Amino acid sequence: MSSMIIPRALRVRSTVLVHQRPCHQSFRALSTTFSCLAKPPPPTTHPTQHEDRNVQSGKPVAEFAKEDETKVSGLPEEPKEGGPPPPLAGKTVTELFSLSNRTVIVTGAARGLGLTIAHSLLDAGANVVAIDRTPEPADEPWSDALKLASSKGLKLSYHSLDITDQASVSSLFENLFASAPESAPVRGMFHAAGIQLLMSALEFPADKFRGIIDVNINGSFFVSQAFAREYLKWKENKTKAKAKAVGNEEDLDGASIVLTGSMSGHVANFGLECAAYNASKAGVNQLVKNLAMEWGKQGIRVNSLSPGYIRSAMTAQLLAQKPELDDIWHRGSLLGRLSTPDEFRGPVLYMLSDASSFMTGADLLVDGGHTAT
Ligand SMILES: NC(=O)c1ccc[n+]([C@@H]2O[C@H](COP(=O)([O-])OP(=O)(O)OC[C@H]3O[C@@H](n4cnc5c(N)ncnc54)[C@H](O)[C@@H]3O)[C@@H](O)[C@H]2O)c1
């Protein structure tokens, strides 16, 4: 292989005029330097250094490394003066992911993904309200969750509710918001309730198709609407002084809703005849964008989680119907395996906590790379 010598004059150094910016600013981004043509101001210090550092002191840091030491380059990541302070700057990373001092509602929490996530939210310090249409949650995991809650002094309750019944959803959510402790208001919801049905598109009867849409889309909308109405009512009633009295003054005072979409809202699953389910999940992925647009400025973020195949009661039922799916699913996963519900603890915690404070109207696809090919 021959090596090529590039004349100094041609080495990567492009000068670009940046419109609408004062000419005393200059920017350095990776290998391309943007700079104004006017004479730069005296060297400044780098904002990420603990101690102020003169770039011409003979000790250049990586951001200042450049061919010509007399020129100033480097874009401060955070302006030192002017503008509001970054809202989360005072929080440690652990605090960013903490859910203490808040209550989170989890639907579909009788089993599977919902129950696993309910457990993990207790772990992160939240009080948890579990909702499902099933009269009782799954025995063992629920008693584990109860033990965890009591060991941490947190509240965990269970409510049987059909999320397709809008009036019942409204009235339960009104009670939940009203009865949440003042020190732990309802500020989050993970909505996992959903149903699936395998059926050929040529045979799908109207009532069954509507049934899927009713739970997966209408239900998602009803719980989100009830959550937002009650949250905004709570927020209006809460004076700044009251918020300070319970020690919430440092919080962003926002709420986060996470709906469960699916990778099936993005693709047709090879070998799986479930047009209603996939259409409903695509609807959920779109719903979050509209709700995020309507509620963002009122402090409510709305996002969706789109999981790939999870080993749960839902997939066990599909595999019992069509055992050959197991092989097809394994071949479709870039990781060569299906997921387990616990693998969604991190993604959901991220979306519910302040760690994702600038994320809304988005879909987080966690599918082992299934839809990447
Ligand atoms: N299992 C997977 O492979 C997979 C993949 C992608 C997305 N998802 C989605 O993740 C979510 C959880 O799935 P899972 O695997 O834990 O399923 P699951 O069947 O184990 O749990 C779903 C829960 O929702 C509840 N539910 C259903 N209809 C309801 C209603 N009308 N009102 C209240 N509760 C109701 C059920 O009783 C059940 O407890 C679902 O939305 C599902 O579509 C699952």
Side-chain angles (χ1 to χ4, degrees):
M1 209 161 93
S2 67
S3 65
M4 192 169 71
I5 297 168
I6 303 170
R8 186 179 173 81
L10 294 181
R11 281 185 204 152
V12 180
R13 174 98 194 196
S14 58
T15 301
V16 178
L17 272 178
V18 181
H19 297 291
Q20 296 172 333
R21 289 207 184 259
C23 269
H24 59 76
Q25 289 183 357
S26 61
F27 310 92
R28 181 175 179 87
L30 298 176
S31 59
T32 305
T33 301
F34 299 83
S35 64
C36 295
L37 295 176
K39 194 173 182 303
T44 56
T45 54
H46 191 266
T48 60
Q49 300 302 300
H50 293 303
E51 286 172 24
D52 283 354
R53 197 164 184 176
N54 187 321
V55 292
Q56 288 184 324
S57 66
K59 296 185 252 173
V61 291
E63 289 82 351
F64 288 101
K66 55 190 179 292
E67 289 172 12
D68 185 347
E69 279 299 319
T70 63
K71 296 246 167 65
V72 177
S73 64
L75 172 67
E77 288 94 354
E78 292 165 16
K80 273 198 157 170
E81 285 164 19
L88 297 171
K91 292 201 178 199
T92 62
V93 169
T94 308
E95 285 165 345
L96 277 186
F97 283 91
S98 165
L99 294 179
S100 53
N101 299 325
R102 65 185 88 180
T103 297
V104 179
I105 295 171
V106 182
T107 75
R111 65 180 197 190
L113 181 63
L115 185 44
T116 302
I117 296 299
H119 193 279
S120 72
L121 301 182
L122 290 164
D123 216 2
N127 287 341
V128 173
V129 174
I131 290 175
D132 201 290
R133 71 174 166 194
T134 311
E136 301 286 337
D139 276 352
E140 208 182 306
W142 181 255
S143 54
D144 284 350
L146 280 174
K147 273 184 220 149
L148 179 63
S150 101
S151 74
K152 299 188 82 161
L154 296 168
K155 287 179 185 298
L156 172 64
S157 59
Y158 185 83
H159 304 262
S160 179
L161 171 82
D162 181 347
I163 55 158
T164 63
D165 178 349
Q166 190 182 22
S168 303
V169 171
S170 292
S171 111
L172 177 64
F173 276 57
E174 191 176 359
N175 287 338
L176 296 177
F177 274 76
S179 60
E182 217 176 342
S183 57
V186 182
R187 286 184 49 199
M189 175 169 71
F190 177 58
H191 172 54
I195 54 171
Q196 160 68 302
L197 181 65
L198 288 195
M199 191 163 280
S200 134
L202 290 175
E203 283 152 26
F204 235 117
D207 62 332
K208 294 225 180 309
F209 199 97
R210 287 197 183 106
I212 304 274
I213 299 294
D214 202 17
V215 175
N216 292 358
I217 298 200
N218 299 348
S220 297
F221 176 67
F222 296 151
V223 294
S224 303
Q225 181 192 52
F227 182 99
R229 281 179 176 164
E230 294 306 321
Y231 174 76
L232 294 176
K233 215 195 292 175
W234 170 83
K235 199 175 165 190
E236 201 179 307
N237 292 339
K238 204 88 187 155
T239 63
K240 195 89 183 159
K242 190 91 188 239
K244 280 194 174 152
V246 293
N248 282 344
E249 69 276 14
E250 284 178 11
D251 280 346
L252 284 181
D253 248 359
S256 172
I257 295 175
V258 179
L259 303 184
T260 307
S262 172
M263 70 170 180
S264 308
H266 296 262
V267 293
N269 310 56
F270 195 77
L272 215 54
E273 294 175 325
C274 50
Y277 180 80
N278 286 36
S280 73
K281 291 297 182 179
V284 169
N285 292 339
Q286 174 58 41
L287 183 63
V288 299
K289 296 179 189 168
N290 282 70
L291 301 183
M293 184 269 290
E294 291 198 31
W295 301 337
K297 290 186 182 140
Q298 296 170 85
I300 304 173
R301 298 186 293 112
V302 191
N303 295 291
S304 53
L305 169 76
S306 279
Y309 295 117
I310 313 169
R311 289 216 175 272
S312 72
M314 186 182 271
T315 42
Q317 198 182 340
L318 302 180
L319 290 171
Q321 269 179 271
K322 286 183 93 177
E324 67 274 21
L325 286 175
D326 198 52
D327 182 47
I328 297 175
W329 291 353
H330 275 81
R331 276 190 278 124
S333 162
L334 298 191
L335 298 177
R337 63 177 179 84
L338 309 194
S339 67
T340 50
D342 63 286
E343 295 189 273
F344 298 90
R345 292 177 301 168
V348 175
L349 177 59
Y350 165 65
M351 287 197 281
L352 284 175
S353 67
D354 291 345
S356 58
S357 60
F358 200 52
M359 177 182 183
T360 197
D363 180 51
L364 189 56
L365 196 50
V366 184
D367 67 350
H370 204 105
T371 56
T373 56

